[in-house]
Amino acid sequence: DCSPDFTYCLQSAEQQIHHQEDQRQHQVHKTCPQKLRGALALGALALLTFGSVNVGTAYILRNIAKGEPIFIWSDFWYAVKRNWRQALIYGIIDVLITGILAFNLYNLVFGETGFVTSMMFWATVILAVLYFIMRYYIYVQMVTFKLSISKIIKNSLTKSTKKDCLKKVSNG
């Protein structure tokens, strides 16, 4: 038989333990959304600045190729300010297309095997190569000409499928 004081102490200790566990769980649930918000904020920042960074870089590299003098920061920001709308829109499109291609390749490599899967894999590889060749032309056209995004994509597709371009890719 336990004394009444002893059972009271045990009950009180159990209540304190449960209370401490509840507080820990509450703290964990409180910090998880903060970490998730931070990760989402970084992801959104990367998504929204992806196109702008590519536009600024394309402008600087285009000027280097043309032999024009460059001032890295001022030229970078000039290109970003001049093309920010198209850069934002196409940057999001670019991330989505790249993500979809990567997702498809991952699932086709680690998924089921078979003839249809193999054909889908190689079709995705060809589309990925074609798209990454197009990306070079897209950002250069964006900083050079005043065209709509659909016309830029059309011109990039045309330029990336020409015989000379495909010979350069296949020959290295």
Side-chain angles (χ1 to χ4, degrees), residues 15-78:
Q15 288 174 352
Q16 284 181 347
I17 290 172
H18 288 299
H19 180 69
Q20 288 174 351
E21 287 177 5
D22 289 342
Q23 283 182 337
R24 281 192 207 117
Q25 287 179 352
H26 181 67
Q27 286 175 345
V28 167
H29 291 296
K30 197 175 185 180
T31 58
C32 283
Q34 291 173 348
K35 291 178 182 178
L36 183 62
R37 273 189 241 128
L40 287 174
L42 284 175
L45 179 66
L47 179 68
L48 295 176
T49 60
F50 186 77
S52 300
V53 169
N54 283 324
V55 161
T57 306
Y59 183 76
I60 290 171
L61 291 175
R62 185 203 66 178
N63 287 348
I64 289 172
K66 286 172 65 175
E68 294 180 4
I70 59 164
F71 302 97
I72 294 177
W73 286 111
S74 61
D75 287 349
F76 179 86
W77 290 113
Y78 169 77

Side-chain angles (χ1 to χ4, degrees), residues 112-151:
E112 297 179 21
T113 58
F115 178 74
V116 174
T117 306
S118 178
M119 295 304 291
M120 292 298 291
F121 171 77
W122 288 110
T124 305
V125 167
I126 290 169
L127 284 174
V129 168
L130 180 66
Y131 179 69
F132 284 108
I133 294 170
M134 282 176 58
R135 283 187 77 232
Y136 170 76
Y137 295 112
I138 287 171
Y139 287 107
V140 172
Q141 286 181 37
M142 203 177 290
V143 298
T144 306
F145 306 112
K146 287 286 183 193
L147 297 172
S148 67
I149 290 179
S150 60
K151 287 184 180 179

